Every structure is written in structure tokens, then in C-alpha cells.
Amino acid sequence: MNGSGARDKAAVVTGSTKGIGRAVAEGLLEAGARVAISARNADEVAAAAKELERGYPGRVFARPCDVRREDQVAALFTETERAFGGLDILVNNAGIGLFRNLEEMSLEEWNSVIETNLTGVFLCSRAAIPRMRRKGGGYIFNISSLAGKNAFPSATAYNASKFGLNGMSEALMQEVRYDGIKVSYLMPGSVATHFGGNAPGPDDEWKIRPRDIARIVLDLLNQDPRTLPSAVEIRPSRPPRKG
Ligand SMILES: NC(=O)c1ccc[n+]([C@@H]2O[C@H](COP(=O)([O-])OP(=O)(O)OC[C@H]3O[C@@H](n4cnc5c(N)ncnc54)[C@H](OP(=O)(O)O)[C@@H]3O)[C@@H](O)[C@H]2O)c1
């Protein structure tokens, strides 16, 4: 994987113990970045850190963080900045899928989707921006979804969170572009991960691989400073035919 745009950069990837976040963290490390990994499950954070540290000694920082919690987000960014001496890249990846018709959804379930997929991005971006400004620029990647522009039944909360994330990404891009901070949002279709309680298996052959999303993040980091591909749609090239 190439990605000289990541070399020696300091990155935070949220939700990086598995799936897309883990692959993006690995891709950034492979390209020469230092990466802070995090998720809610402390044991999984410690296990992922141990594995990654073996391949990339001295370039991994790890801390459990629930992106819904302002205090935990503040601690993640303060400690990452202390460990790496700054922050250049934020990958807002942590996200959940909860698919249920609206009338059957509890307020708690609705809130968990919105708070993770939308408020978490707000909290992490707000913590990252002043730190990126201090470095003279940076790059924020928001892992959205094709569900950010295509609605479907049972996805009221998920659609609301990802449609919202797309709008938020475009507004933020316009707020920070003159500070040398780029914002891109990626909209993958089905990716073979644990998302929504899925277990990747043989039936997932047609799906996008997490490392393919990582490659796109690295490609974007390698773009010329004058150029910003602000939104990227990523589809499985041969999904099962419908009907
Ligand atoms: N898989 C797909 O088909 C697909 C398609 C389009 C977009 N996406 C998006 O891609 C992103 C990553 O999903 P994935 O498919 O890689 O799912 P995944 O395999 O389930 O991984 C999700 C990661 O996020 C973490 N996470 C969940 N809630 C969190 C919270 N409140 N705070 C911090 N970390 C949290 C999880 O760890 P803990 O549970 O320990 O916190 C885990 O590390 C999501 O934003 C999702 O919406 C996925």
C-alpha cells in the first residue's frame, strides 16, 4: 500500500479494534503514520494494540474511548497529543447499525445510533480541529455510508445519522478548508465486517473488504494539497442481483 501522505503523521482512528477502523489503522501504520486506536471494549483495545505494536513498534497509542462521552473523547485527544506531539489525521469511523422499524424502536436505541454516528463525530472533530490548526493543517475523514443518501425501511435512525453526517461533513469542510484542514466523507456500500451484528463469512465474498476502504483513505491523503475529493461513493462492483 502506498501513502506517503501519511508518513510521520499522527492519527486518531475511532472504532479501530475491528472492521474498517482496524484496517484503516493498519493501512496508516503501514504507510508510516503513528496511530491512536480506540473503541469501547478495553480488552479488545489492549489486544489490538498488542498485535499492532508487534508490527509497528513505538508507533501505536491505545486508549479505550466511547465517542458518545465528552470526557472520554477529551482524554483520548489530550493523551494522543501528548504521546505523538500533535495531531494531523482524524478518522471518524466508530459507528453502529441498528435496524428496526421506527414504531418498534425505543428512545434509547434511537439515541444510541444518533449519539454514536453523529454526536461522536461532532465531539471528536471539535477536539481535533484546534490541534490540527496548531500543526498548520490536517485531514478529517468521516466514514459515512451509502445509507447517507439512499433510504430504506428499518433504517430511520441509521439513515438519519448518515444523511446528517454527510451534511455535517460538507458544512465542516467549508468551515476549516482555509486553515489547511481537509474534510472528506466516504460512503461505502456493504463491507465485510462485524457491522450490525454480522459475522464475516463465505457469503460475504462479494462485499468490499475493509482494506479497500483503507486504500482509499491513503489515496486521499496522497492528493495534491490544492485538490480535495470531498465525497467518495464506494460500491461492491458485483453485488447479488435483486429479484
Ligand atoms: N460494514 C458495512 O457494510 C458498512 C457500510 C457503510 C458504512 N459503514 C460504517 O463503517 C463504520 C465502521 O463500521 P464496521 O463495518 O467496521 O463495523 P464493526 O466491524 O462493527 O466495527 C465497529 C467499531 O466501532 C467501535 N464502536 C462502536 N460503537 C462505538 C462507540 N460508541 N465509541 C467508540 N467506538 C465504538 C467498535 O468497538 P466497540 O464495540 O468495542 O466500541 C468497533 O471497533 C461505521 O461508521 C459504519 O456505519 C459500514
Side-chain angles (χ1 to χ4, degrees), residues 45-92:
V45 170
K50 202 171 161 195
E51 282 172 37
L52 292 171
E53 180 69 29
R54 220 176 284 137
Y56 307 97
R59 290 202 275 126
V60 179
F61 176 76
R63 192 190 197 287
C65 173
D66 184 334
V67 295
R68 298 170 296 180
R69 294 277 307 274
E70 189 175 15
D71 55 340
Q72 295 184 20
V73 169
L76 173 67
F77 282 83
T78 302
E79 291 178 21
T80 300
E81 189 175 42
R82 197 175 301 142
F84 292 159
L87 181 71
D88 307 286
I89 298 165
L90 166 62
V91 183
N92 282 309

Side-chain angles (χ1 to χ4, degrees), residues 26-44:
E26 285 179 7
L28 288 167
L29 285 164
E30 201 181 314
R34 292 161 294 159
V35 181
I37 61 160
S38 66
R40 289 168 302 176
N41 185 312
D43 291 341
E44 291 183 9

Side-chain angles (χ1 to χ4, degrees), residues 17 20 40-41 65-67 93 144 158 162 188-189 191 193-194:
T17 50
I20 295 170
R40 289 168 302 176
N41 185 312
C65 173
D66 184 334
V67 295
N93 166 78
S144 182
Y158 192 64
K162 296 298 189 181
V191 185
T193 70
H194 292 87

Side-chain angles (χ1 to χ4, degrees), residues 160-243:
S161 72
K162 296 298 189 181
F163 272 68
L165 180 56
N166 289 359
M168 178 182 167
S169 304
E170 293 193 10
L172 180 62
M173 181 267 288
Q174 295 179 44
E175 282 180 19
V176 297
R177 64 201 301 181
Y178 295 106
D179 299 319
I181 301 172
K182 290 183 175 182
V183 179
S184 295
Y185 60 104
L186 277 58
M187 292 170 279
S190 295
V191 185
T193 70
H194 292 87
F195 183 73
N198 190 44
D203 291 346
D204 284 341
E205 231 9 82
W206 58 276
K207 291 185 181 176
I208 300 161
R209 291 286 175 273
R211 64 172 175 272
D212 302 335
I213 307 297
R215 193 173 304 130
I216 290 165
V217 167
L218 293 174
D219 286 347
L220 293 175
L221 281 166
N222 279 328
Q223 289 290 324
D224 189 277
R226 98 192 72 212
T227 303
L228 173 53
S230 53
V232 185
E233 295 182 13
I234 308 141
R235 296 164 198 283
S237 54
R238 294 164 68 97
R241 288 182 203 272
K242 288 193 178 125

